[in-house]
Each structure stands twice: as structure tokens, then as C-alpha cells.
Amino acid sequence: MSWQTYVDDHLMCEIEGHHLTAAAIVGQDGSVWAQSASFPQFKSEEITNIINDFNEPGTLAPIGLFLGSTKYMVIQGESGAVIRGKKGSGGITVKKTNQAMIFGIYDEPMTPGQCNMVVERLGDYLIDQGL
């Protein structure tokens, strides 16, 4: 299965009538493996800061998580495994796997929990596959 299929069929799928706004699978080196058409153009330092927070949890909390120049307030996640951010009525979930990061961006009416479930379920599957 191609990486784009994971984004299209597993991340951008319908959950209780709602969809993520944007999604991507990005290698830990910052290379894009696959993304939805709506995924923001990001800067390499934004990915570096996210990786640093996975390695040293708490580094993003004081400054916020930036992706595509959009700032998200960092809220509770799972130390070293999941980073969650909030901006207005939407937010972001980032799940770290062995080689990549799974990004999901949502807006109402999708809920944070729905976004977390979609992103983390795929992340857990890829971890189980050694990816």
C-alpha cells in the first residue's frame, strides 16, 4: 500500500460524518511521505521543533507548536509519543512512530477525540509494523 493511500483512506476518512481538515505522514527527517492537498506548507524548523519535543517533552509548551506558520497552543499529550495542540475551534494531533510522524488537523464539527483516534490508530498500526 502506498503512503498516499494511508493518508487518503485512513486519515482523511469519514468519522461519524466528519473529516480531518488536513493530514500527512512526514518522516522524522522532515521529508513528506504523503499528504492531503490541504496540508499546510511547513518550514523545516517547525518539524525540527516537533521532533525536539518528542525527544525532550515540554519544550513546545512555552512557545507553542507551529505548523505552516499557524500557532497551536500545546495541550496534554503522551510524553514522547503524542503531541496535541489547540487553536480556536480546531487543533492538531501528531503521533510519532519509529520512522515518521502522523499529522491530523481538524476543525469543528470534528472533535479533538475523533482526531486523536484517527491519527493515533494509524500511528499504532505503523509502530506494530516496525515503521
Side-chain angles (χ1 to χ4, degrees):
M1 189 179 316
S2 79
W3 291 114
Q4 193 61 50
T5 304
Y6 283 110
V7 170
D8 296 342
D9 295 352
H10 297 278
L11 293 175
M12 297 302 289
C13 63
E14 185 174 306
I15 302 291
E16 297 173 22
H18 310 303
H19 298 269
L20 290 174
T21 311
I25 302 173
V26 178
Q28 291 184 18
D29 61 358
S31 63
V32 176
W33 293 8
Q35 65 184 15
S36 65
S38 53
F39 195 74
Q41 184 66 42
F42 58 83
K43 300 179 183 110
S44 61
E45 62 264 21
E46 293 172 335
I47 298 300
T48 301
N49 290 340
I50 292 168
I51 287 290
N52 289 343
D53 192 79
F54 280 123
N55 296 332
E56 295 177 42
T59 57
L60 283 179
I63 58 170
L65 183 158
F66 285 85
L67 188 70
S69 300
T70 298
K71 180 179 181 179
Y72 297 90
M73 178 179 68
V74 176
I75 55 176
Q76 101 183 36
E78 294 171 35
S79 196
V82 179
I83 300 169
R84 298 185 183 109
K86 187 91 175 113
K87 178 177 174 50
S89 61
I92 187 169
T93 301
V94 186
K95 168 78 175 180
K96 181 179 176 230
T97 71
N98 299 332
Q99 300 173 22
M101 294 171 291
I102 314 297
F103 287 82
I105 300 172
Y106 69 93
D107 215 334
E108 285 185 336
M110 189 172 229
T111 66
Q114 289 169 325
C115 178
N116 295 342
M117 182 185 70
V118 169
V119 171
E120 294 175 39
R121 186 171 52 196
L122 179 59
D124 289 340
Y125 170 77
L126 293 177
I127 289 169
D128 289 345
Q129 301 303 306
L131 301 165

